[in-house]
Amino acid sequence: MGNIIFSLTLAVLSLHFFTITYRLNGVNRTLYNIPISIFESSIPLAQESEEIVIYYNKTELQNKLTYYFDTNIHKYVSRYTLDFYYYNQSDGSICKSDYCDAVEITLKAEILLTVNYQKTATFYIKDNR
């Protein structure tokens, strides 16, 4: 009788650990495999001034990333939050203007009742000259 209880407990724990691992890996893949086209298409190309300033359109980027996560992360978690932190790449200061060239995205999610997920990914515009 003791062996049956031990075997059932081991089977339940194995299933629980498998579920946690599956969800963590799925959320990680969703965060770190964001298509680069989302960031590229959020950079405005038409500018009125002679000096070229490359920056992210904040609202467009946030809308596209929210849509991306809404469509891809629901398999792994039921609730999540995204936090955006825009900064100036040159000195690392907070970017309060509309011309930000770097962003940190923090993803927070509840994997299971007692397991929470929080990771930050950084994306910036690099000059290829």
Side-chain angles (χ1 to χ4, degrees):
M1 185 66 176
N3 286 340
I4 293 173
I5 292 173
F6 178 73
S7 298
L8 287 175
T9 303
L10 189 61
V12 168
L13 286 175
S14 296
L15 180 64
H16 186 69
F17 287 131
F18 172 76
T19 303
I20 290 172
T21 305
Y22 173 75
R23 289 182 178 190
L24 280 173
N25 285 335
V27 173
N28 257 342
R29 269 183 272 139
T30 304
L31 177 63
Y32 291 115
N33 292 336
I34 298 173
I36 197 72
S37 62
I38 290 177
F39 296 98
E40 290 174 345
S41 64
S42 298
I43 299 172
L45 298 178
Q47 297 184 7
E48 296 176 7
S49 65
E50 291 181 19
E51 182 181 336
I52 298 174
V53 179
I54 300 174
Y55 62 94
Y56 290 122
N57 182 336
K58 291 180 181 180
T59 56
E60 188 174 339
L61 181 62
Q62 289 178 7
N63 290 340
K64 288 179 180 185
L65 285 172
T66 302
Y67 177 76
Y68 168 76
F69 280 101
D70 283 344
T71 56
N72 291 304
I73 208 168
H74 68 86
K75 298 179 275 193
Y76 310 111
V77 295
S78 58
R79 292 180 305 160
Y80 72 93
T81 58
L82 286 174
D83 295 324
F84 297 94
Y85 170 72
Y86 292 94
Y87 65 96
N88 297 315
Q89 188 177 337
S90 58
D91 59 358
S93 63
I94 296 173
C95 180
K96 294 183 180 180
S97 71
D98 290 334
Y99 304 105
C100 304
D101 61 353
V103 62
E104 280 186 2
I105 302 166
T106 302
L107 173 64
K108 298 176 188 173
E110 184 180 295
I111 302 296
L112 285 178
L113 296 174
T114 59
V115 179
N116 293 320
Y117 177 91
Q118 179 176 345
K119 292 274 179 158
T120 301
T122 303
F123 301 93
Y124 55 90
I125 299 171
K126 184 177 178 181
D127 189 7
N128 288 333
R129 288 187 237 172

